[in-house]
Amino acid sequence: MTTYTAPVKDMQFLLHDVLAVSASDIPGYADLDAGFTAAVLEEAGKLASDVLEPLNAVGDREGCVLENGVVRTPKGFKAAFDAVKAGGWTALDCDPDYGGQGLPYVMGTAVGEMFVSANMAFNMYQGLTHGAYSAIRAHGTAEQKATYLPKMVSCDWTGTMNLTEPHCGTDLGLMRTKAEPQADGSYKISGTKIFISAGEHDLADNIIHLVLAKAPGGGDGTKGISLFIVPKFMVNADGSLGARNGVTVGKVEEKMGIHGNATCVMNYDGAVGYLLGDLHKGMRAMFTMMNEARLGVGLQGYAVAEAAYQNSLAYAKDRLQGRDVTGVKNPSGAADPLIVHPDIRRNLMDQKSFVEGARAFTFWAASMIDQSVRSGDEAAEGLVSLLIPVLKGFQTDRGFEMAVQAQQIWGGHGYIEDNGVSQFVRDARIAQIYEGANGVQALDLVGRKLATDGGKHVMAFFALVKGFIKENEGDARMAVYLDPLKAASKDVQAAAMFFMNNAMKNPNAALAGSYDFMTMMGHTCLGLMWAKMAKAAFAGLDAGGDADFLNTKLATGRYYMARQLPATALHLARIESGADPVMALAAEAF
C-alpha cells in the first residue's frame, strides 16, 4: 500500500546550491557536477522505488527464518541484493584499490538515504558491511586488506559488528568473550554475542564478523578489549572458501520492527579469529567506524520519516473528512480533503521541516567527514565528532516522532497493518536504541565532547553560527531566519555556561540536563541548516531559479524557525533547574 519517490531535486539543491560541492577544494568534489550527481541519484532512486520499496512490506510480513543453522531472508531479498551489487552501489564510495568507485562519502550518504527510505531492513546488510570494511581498511594489515576488502566492497562477502553480550551493553568493560592466543598467531574466540544485525543470512557467500573480545594480559575494563576478524568460512591462501569456522547462530530475535533484517544471537565456540589493529586497543579500532555508523543511524531517523511523510501527505490529499471552516474547497464531494484543516497542515509541516532540515544537517556532516578524511582537516574532524551524537540522538528521536505523526494523519487506518504506515513507526523505533542509546549519546556529548581539546570544537561551532549570522544580517530578507537562530544559539551557550559553572561541584547538574542539551543542539543545528538553505533559496530566486520550489523551501524554513526552534528556551529552563528535581526521590520511592 505504501510508495516511495526519491527526493532527487531536494538533494541536488543541497549538494549544489547549499554545499556547492563542485566548487569545494575537498579532493574528489570537483568531479561532482550537477549532471553527474543527478545521473547517480536518479538511477539510485529508480532502484529504491522499483526494486527495494516493494519488498519493504514483504520483509516486514515474512521476516527471517532460521532453518538448520541457516537464516533465510524474505522472498525477493536475494534477487534485490544481487541487483544492488550488479549496479555497483555497494562500492560507490569505497577505495578503488579494492574495487570501489572512489566517490566521496557525501554521495554514498545521499544514495544510502534513498535505500533506507525504501527499505531500511534490507539496506542494513550492505550498510553494516561498509562499516566493517572501513574498520579493516583503517586498521588491517596489508594481507588482511587484500584478503577481505575486495569481496566486502562487492558484497560477495558481508560484514558485521559484534559488541553486545547478554549481560553487557553500553558497559563493554563487563565483556566475557575470550580470545586465546595460538602458536600460529591466530586466536580462539569463545563467547556469545547478541543483537547482531545481519549476523547470518543467505545473501552472501561469506560473512566477516568483527568481534570484540578480551585477550590475556589486557587487564580489567575496556582497556583489555581487542578486535578480531572472525570469518564464517575460513579463507584459503588462494582466496577460496574453506571449512566452516566455529561460529553459529543461536536464534533470530523476534523484534518490534526491521523484520527483514536478521538480528542474531551469535555463538563463538573456539572460532578462529585474527587480531585487527593493536592488541588491547580494540575500542580504538571499533570507534574508527563510530562516526560513520552513528551518522548512518541518524540518517535512518529522517529517512524513514521521509517515507512516512510521503505516504501521509498522499493520504491527506486524498482522504475526504469534514469541511474547511473558511469555506468549502471540494463542492463536488461530500467533504473536503484532510489537507485543508490547519491541524493536519501543522502535522505535515512538522514532518516536512524536520526531514528537509535533517537531510541538510546529515549531508553537511558527511561533507565534513570527507573534508577530514580526504584533506586531513583536523578542525573538520573535531567539529563532526562533536556533532555526531547530536545528529544520531536528535534525528532518531525526532524521526520516530515524525513517523508517529505521519501515522496519526491516517487515523484508525494508520493502526491497521494492511495499510503499511505502522511499519514506519515500528522500524524507526530501533534507531533511538542501537549504536548507543540516545541517553548515552547525550552523556557522550556533555560528558566528553564538550570538553574535548579544551572545548575548542564547541567554541568553533558557536563561532560558525555567529559568523554566518554576521555575514548575512545585511540582507533584510534573512532576518526571519537569523533572529531565531541567534536566540537559539544564545540559549545553547547559556546552557553550556551553566554546565561549566555547576558541573565540578555537582556532576549530576550536567548529566541531568544532558538530554535537553543534545535536543537543543539538534534544534540549533537544524536552524543553522534552514538559514543556509534560505540564503541559497534567495540567491536562486535572484538568479531566476525555480520559483515554486524555492518559495516552498523558504516557507518551510520560516515554519521551522517560528514553530520548532523556540523549543531551545524550554530546554534551557529545564537545564537551569539543575539536578534536584531529577534526583529528589530515593530509589526505593519510585
Side-chain angles (χ1 to χ4, degrees), residues 164-367:
T164 307
E165 299 182 6
H167 62 286
C168 161
T170 301
D171 190 355
L172 290 173
L174 300 176
M175 187 175 297
R176 294 174 184 162
T177 299
K178 300 296 183 184
E180 294 295 334
Q182 305 299 299
D184 63 358
S186 68
Y187 289 77
K188 292 289 189 182
I189 311 298
S190 298
T192 296
K193 298 289 186 177
I194 64 170
F195 305 156
I196 309 306
S197 300
E200 172 64 40
H201 55 79
D202 56 2
L203 302 179
D205 297 331
N206 202 4
I207 302 175
I208 311 304
H209 301 287
L210 298 191
V211 183
L212 287 176
K214 289 190 173 182
D220 296 329
T222 59
K223 293 180 180 179
I225 294 174
S226 301
L227 184 61
F228 299 90
I229 298 172
V230 186
K232 173 182 173 180
F233 289 102
M234 303 303 294
V235 181
N236 297 321
D238 63 358
S240 63
L241 297 183
R244 177 71 184 256
N245 204 355
V247 51
T248 57
V249 57
K251 67 175 291 191
V252 174
E253 300 288 3
E254 188 171 334
K255 310 185 297 294
M256 176 180 176
I258 54 169
H259 296 153
N261 195 269
T263 304
C264 299
V265 174
M266 302 302 299
N267 296 319
Y268 294 86
D269 185 13
V272 178
Y274 305 98
L275 183 67
L276 178 60
D278 296 330
L279 188 64
H280 308 315
K281 302 294 184 183
M283 293 303 295
R284 183 174 66 185
M286 186 62 80
F287 272 95
T288 293
M289 52 190 185
M290 278 303 166
N291 278 354
E292 175 186 319
R294 288 176 174 170
L295 183 143
V297 176
L299 180 151
Q300 288 178 337
Y302 83 83
V304 174
E306 165 70 37
Y309 166 69
Q310 289 188 18
N311 286 276
S312 68
L313 173 61
Y315 189 79
K317 289 181 176 180
D318 183 67
R319 174 74 166 172
L320 302 182
Q321 291 287 286
R323 288 296 190 188
D324 187 335
V325 295
T326 65
V328 172
K329 296 297 187 292
N330 181 35
S332 63
D336 291 330
L338 282 173
I339 199 167
V340 305
H341 303 300
D343 191 60
I344 297 294
R345 293 291 188 94
R346 171 201 59 79
N347 187 323
L348 290 169
M349 288 296 284
D350 279 352
Q351 295 176 63
K352 181 177 175 62
S353 63
F354 163 72
V355 167
E356 293 179 14
R359 177 178 297 119
F361 184 21
T362 303
F363 281 26
W364 178 51
S367 73

Side-chain angles (χ1 to χ4, degrees), residues 136 139-150 229 274-277:
I136 295 174
H139 298 283
T141 64
E143 182 181 3
Q144 288 172 338
K145 293 177 186 179
T147 298
Y148 300 106
L149 294 188
I229 298 172
Y274 305 98
L275 183 67
L276 178 60

Side-chain angles (χ1 to χ4, degrees), residues 170 287 290-298 384-397 430-450 499 510-511 513-519 521:
T170 301
F287 272 95
M290 278 303 166
N291 278 354
E292 175 186 319
R294 288 176 174 170
L295 183 143
V297 176
V384 78
S385 293
L386 168 75
L387 295 178
I388 283 294
V390 180
L391 191 148
K392 192 278 182 186
F394 177 75
Q395 290 191 175
T396 58
D397 276 349
I430 187 57
Q432 297 172 282
I433 298 172
Y434 61 14
E435 286 301 336
N438 287 353
V440 176
Q441 301 298 326
L443 295 178
D444 179 45
L445 174 65
V446 171
R448 294 179 60 245
K449 298 295 178 62
L450 290 186
F499 293 154
L511 300 183
S514 61
Y515 202 89
D516 287 286
F517 188 81
M518 179 186 72
T519 304
M521 277 284 286

Side-chain angles (χ1 to χ4, degrees), residues 342-499:
D343 191 60
I344 297 294
R345 293 291 188 94
R346 171 201 59 79
N347 187 323
L348 290 169
M349 288 296 284
D350 279 352
Q351 295 176 63
K352 181 177 175 62
S353 63
F354 163 72
V355 167
E356 293 179 14
R359 177 178 297 119
F361 184 21
T362 303
F363 281 26
W364 178 51
S367 73
M368 284 192 284
I369 290 177
D370 277 329
Q371 189 172 346
S372 167
V373 173
R374 290 171 171 253
S375 302
D377 189 326
E378 293 183 359
E381 181 182 6
L383 183 57
V384 78
S385 293
L386 168 75
L387 295 178
I388 283 294
V390 180
L391 191 148
K392 192 278 182 186
F394 177 75
Q395 290 191 175
T396 58
D397 276 349
R398 295 290 289 166
F400 175 72
E401 291 173 17
M402 293 305 103
V404 170
Q405 288 192 204
Q407 183 188 35
Q408 188 74 12
I409 285 179
W410 285 68
H413 293 285
Y415 202 65
I416 303 301
E417 291 291 344
D418 287 348
N419 292 319
V421 290
S422 64
Q423 184 185 348
F424 298 131
V425 176
R426 290 184 286 102
D427 285 354
R429 183 64 181 90
I430 187 57
Q432 297 172 282
I433 298 172
Y434 61 14
E435 286 301 336
N438 287 353
V440 176
Q441 301 298 326
L443 295 178
D444 179 45
L445 174 65
V446 171
R448 294 179 60 245
K449 298 295 178 62
L450 290 186
T452 299
D453 295 331
K456 178 172 70 174
H457 306 301
V458 72
M459 296 306 297
F461 174 75
F462 292 144
L464 187 154
V465 174
K466 183 178 181 180
F468 180 85
I469 293 170
K470 187 172 183 179
E471 175 187 336
N472 294 283
E473 60 189 0
D475 186 343
R477 300 174 299 180
M478 287 290 291
V480 70
Y481 305 95
L482 298 181
D483 291 347
L485 177 60
K486 184 184 296 185
S489 181
K490 288 182 177 179
D491 286 342
V492 177
Q493 291 177 67
M497 186 61 66
F498 176 85
F499 293 154

